[in-house]
Amino acid sequence: YMTEWFMCIFSRTLPWGSVLRVWDMFFCDGVKIIFKVGLVLLRHCLGSKEKLRDCPGMYETIEKLRNLPTTSLPEELLITEVVSLKVSEALIERECGRQRARWRAERGELRYAPSRRLFGARAIRQEESLLPSPLSSASGLGRLTASLTSLRRPLRPSPPSPSP
């Protein structure tokens, strides 16, 4: 169920209207929306004692999460619950750090160095607003023009025209 949820961004799990709303929020707010939707779906499917009794083993639990009924969670309710769930970027980063430390303790050092994440379009815009604009000064404009000129392909000589 996790592959269908996270790798496919819920496109195989939720009704199409809900998928589009989740994707809109994902592009705007970033990866935290994916975790929030997953938590809401877990709470909706397994959040009560009666629902847990229906899943006595791991197989039943995974089958229940893999085969969510499309009518069980209306789009408006899903989005309302996702928006009201308090999960911050700091909380996600803290948990990611814990999981990396756990990985290192069990399996050794990671093979790659994870970089800082930017969470969605809002965070990217905010980050860009802190950087100096390359067009803010005449020298910046000159550097931009020079770099664009260096990317220009040289003109190929045209083939000679056949003589009559």
Side-chain angles (χ1 to χ4, degrees):
Y1 72 96
M2 286 299 197
T3 303
E4 291 180 7
W5 285 12
F6 293 117
M7 297 298 286
C8 299
I9 315 176
F10 301 100
S11 64
R12 301 168 122 192
T13 307
L14 297 174
W16 190 243
S18 298
V19 169
L20 294 176
R21 297 282 300 270
V22 168
W23 286 5
D24 283 343
M25 293 188 312
F26 169 66
F27 289 131
C28 196
D29 294 330
V31 73
K32 73 178 178 181
I33 293 300
I34 304 302
F35 290 110
K36 289 171 107 176
V37 172
L39 289 171
V40 168
L41 291 176
L42 282 172
R43 183 170 57 194
H44 182 73
C45 289
L46 305 173
S48 68
K49 290 182 180 182
E50 296 81 31
K51 292 177 182 177
L52 287 174
R53 280 189 207 121
D54 292 341
C55 304
M58 185 178 233
Y59 176 78
E60 293 85 5
T61 305
I62 290 175
E63 282 303 308
K64 187 169 190 172
L65 293 172
R66 187 177 289 160
N67 300 311
L68 296 174
T70 57
T71 58
S72 67
L73 191 59
E75 175 184 340
E76 297 81 23
L77 179 62
L78 172 70
I79 300 307
T80 302
E81 288 190 29
V82 167
V83 169
S84 67
L85 192 62
K86 302 297 180 203
V87 175
S88 66
E89 289 91 354
L91 180 64
I92 293 172
E93 285 294 328
R94 188 169 49 245
E95 184 59 31
C96 188
R98 286 184 194 149
Q99 295 302 321
R100 279 194 302 260
R102 184 174 161 195
W103 174 279
R104 285 184 189 111
E106 293 174 1
R107 300 180 182 146
E109 195 59 39
L110 294 171
R111 294 184 184 168
Y112 72 98
S115 61
R116 182 175 173 274
R117 294 185 183 108
L118 292 177
F119 294 97
R122 289 183 185 147
I124 292 169
R125 286 279 181 217
Q126 184 179 13
E127 186 85 8
E128 286 175 347
S129 71
L130 300 175
L131 297 174
S133 170
L135 301 177
S136 63
S137 67
S139 64
L141 182 59
R143 283 191 308 254
L144 179 63
T145 305
S147 66
L148 290 175
T149 306
S150 68
L151 294 175
R152 193 178 296 159
R153 291 184 184 170
L155 294 175
R156 292 184 189 166
S158 57
S161 57
S163 44

